[in-house]
Amino acid sequence: MTAMLFPGFRTERVRTSGAEIHAVVGPKRDAPALLLLHGYPQTHAIWHKVAPRLAGRYNVVASDLRGYGDSGKPPTTADHAPYSKRAMARDQVELMTALGHETFLLAGHDRGARVAHRLCVDHPERVRKVAVLDIAPTLAMYEATNEAFARAYWHWFFLILPAPVPERMIGNAIEMILPAKMGSGSAGMAPFAPEAWAEYVRCFTPEMVHASCEDYRAAASIDLEHDRADRERRLRVACPLLALWGAHGVVERCFKPLDEWRRVAADVRGGSLPSGHYIPEEVPEPLIDELEKFFA
């Protein structure tokens, strides 16, 4: 499947201090490194329309976050710390170190963008520039929750229920959850290539379901503690940040993304793209243009 979706890429598995991380790595070794991070409920396969093009200019690394895809799914704790964005960001820093990259460019979609945000704050010396796709900062989204947001992002409030309630409910209808969730956007199921969809289905196992619930539980608890501590200490993203979001999505309707990112980052630019939530699969060409222009 890697050869089909990411021609010319190789597969890597790196043992970090907290999990084993699976990634695909492009063939252009003597180029600036670019790390791509996916969101829920997907895997690195979301980048299959983007990464091969970017690999002509960058040493592209597309990884599975801990808990997702073929990466490890370590046991959790009562405070959900193993699935905090801090722990997930540390995985990615250690992955890039193992691959020989002391500094790198970074782009994240959805959950991956939240990991990217934490990575930039906790490891500012590692990231040269960062792009975040279709999110506002986690703390801002929780603090501004209203009825419209809660109805659109119902899964934020469902997945954080105490275990094993959401796990069992999803498990009882696991075949229908992916199309119900991913097909509910403005583009429906059209953006998802059969090969990528097969990967999402293959990886949507009970173990991933539990780990992804822990990801969301962490986001509603320990991650907010970390974000509030940043705000109190006035810690911000120091590197240039590009925020892109779908013009037909929830972030556009419910938030002012550039305003929110300017509260937590020093150098912010960006705008909307003509898509819904799944930008890398809905509008890959405009996204590639924006990333190449920003990262150049």
Side-chain angles (χ1 to χ4, degrees):
M1 192 59 66
T2 296
M4 187 179 300
L5 293 175
F6 296 87
F9 282 57
R10 71 183 191 274
T11 298
E12 294 280 356
R13 297 192 69 85
V14 171
R15 170 67 64 179
T16 72
S17 57
E20 189 174 55
I21 299 300
H22 169 263
V24 296
V25 182
K28 197 171 182 65
R29 297 172 185 264
D30 57 341
L34 169 57
L35 175 61
L36 303 176
L37 302 177
H38 67 88
Y40 175 88
Q42 296 171 295
T43 72
H44 73 279
I46 191 176
W47 301 105
H48 75 98
K49 298 179 182 178
V50 173
R53 271 276 307 276
L54 292 174
R57 183 172 294 182
Y58 305 101
N59 185 204
V60 175
V61 179
S63 72
D64 291 333
L65 299 172
R66 78 160 59 184
Y68 292 84
D70 290 316
S71 285
K73 298 161 183 66
T76 192
T77 57
D79 64 356
H80 316 294
Y83 289 88
S84 68
K85 304 309 152 297
R86 174 159 287 159
M88 296 169 90
R90 188 182 307 117
D91 286 336
Q92 302 303 320
V93 167
E94 293 177 10
L95 167 70
M96 296 304 277
T97 299
L99 295 176
H101 305 303
E102 288 305 309
T103 64
F104 48 91
L105 304 165
L106 177 59
H109 172 256
D110 189 79
R111 312 308 292 175
R114 302 189 190 286
V115 175
H117 177 193
R118 174 50 53 194
L119 197 160
C120 288
V121 175
D122 286 0
H123 308 275
E125 74 285 356
R126 305 299 297 271
V127 184
R128 295 165 58 187
K129 293 182 179 181
V130 62
V132 291
L133 308 185
D134 211 54
I135 70 163
T138 306
L139 181 57
M141 294 179 79
Y142 269 116
E143 289 184 338
T145 293
N146 57 23
E147 181 182 353
F149 174 68
R151 285 180 179 274
Y153 273 34
W154 56 270
H155 60 290
W156 273 40
F157 308 97
F158 168 62
L159 297 176
I160 67 175
L161 293 174
V165 174
E167 288 94 333
R168 288 186 178 176
M169 293 178 71
I170 293 171
N172 287 337
I174 198 164
E175 297 84 2
M176 66 170 286
I177 294 298
L178 276 181
K181 172 66 179 68
M182 294 175 61
S184 64
S186 60
M189 294 291 292
F192 310 119
E195 299 83 2
W197 184 256
E199 279 294 280
Y200 303 146
V201 172
R202 178 183 70 82
C203 293
F204 199 64
T205 62
E207 294 78 16
M208 178 180 153
V209 169
H210 173 60
S212 62
C213 287
E214 283 299 299
D215 170 13
Y216 279 85
R217 290 174 183 133
S221 56
I222 191 170
D223 288 347
L224 297 182
E225 294 175 14
H226 295 158
D227 290 347
R228 291 188 178 107
D230 291 345
R231 186 161 62 187
E232 290 173 6
R233 296 168 60 194
R234 298 184 180 179
L235 288 177
R236 309 174 79 206
V237 175
C239 67
L241 182 147
L242 175 70
L244 300 171
W245 62 93
H248 311 307
V250 178
V251 172
E252 167 82 8
R253 294 199 303 271
C254 294
F255 301 95
K256 295 181 178 179
L258 293 183
D259 289 350
E260 296 298 347
W261 282 111
R262 284 172 179 144
R263 292 188 175 98
V264 299
D267 180 356
V268 177
R269 75 227 45 197
S272 65
L273 294 175
S275 74
H277 178 59
Y278 298 100
I279 294 173
E281 291 175 293
E282 292 184 44
V283 288
E285 295 299 328
L287 174 59
I288 290 167
D289 291 343
E290 291 288 343
L291 292 179
E292 288 187 335
K293 181 169 58 176
F294 175 62
F295 288 141

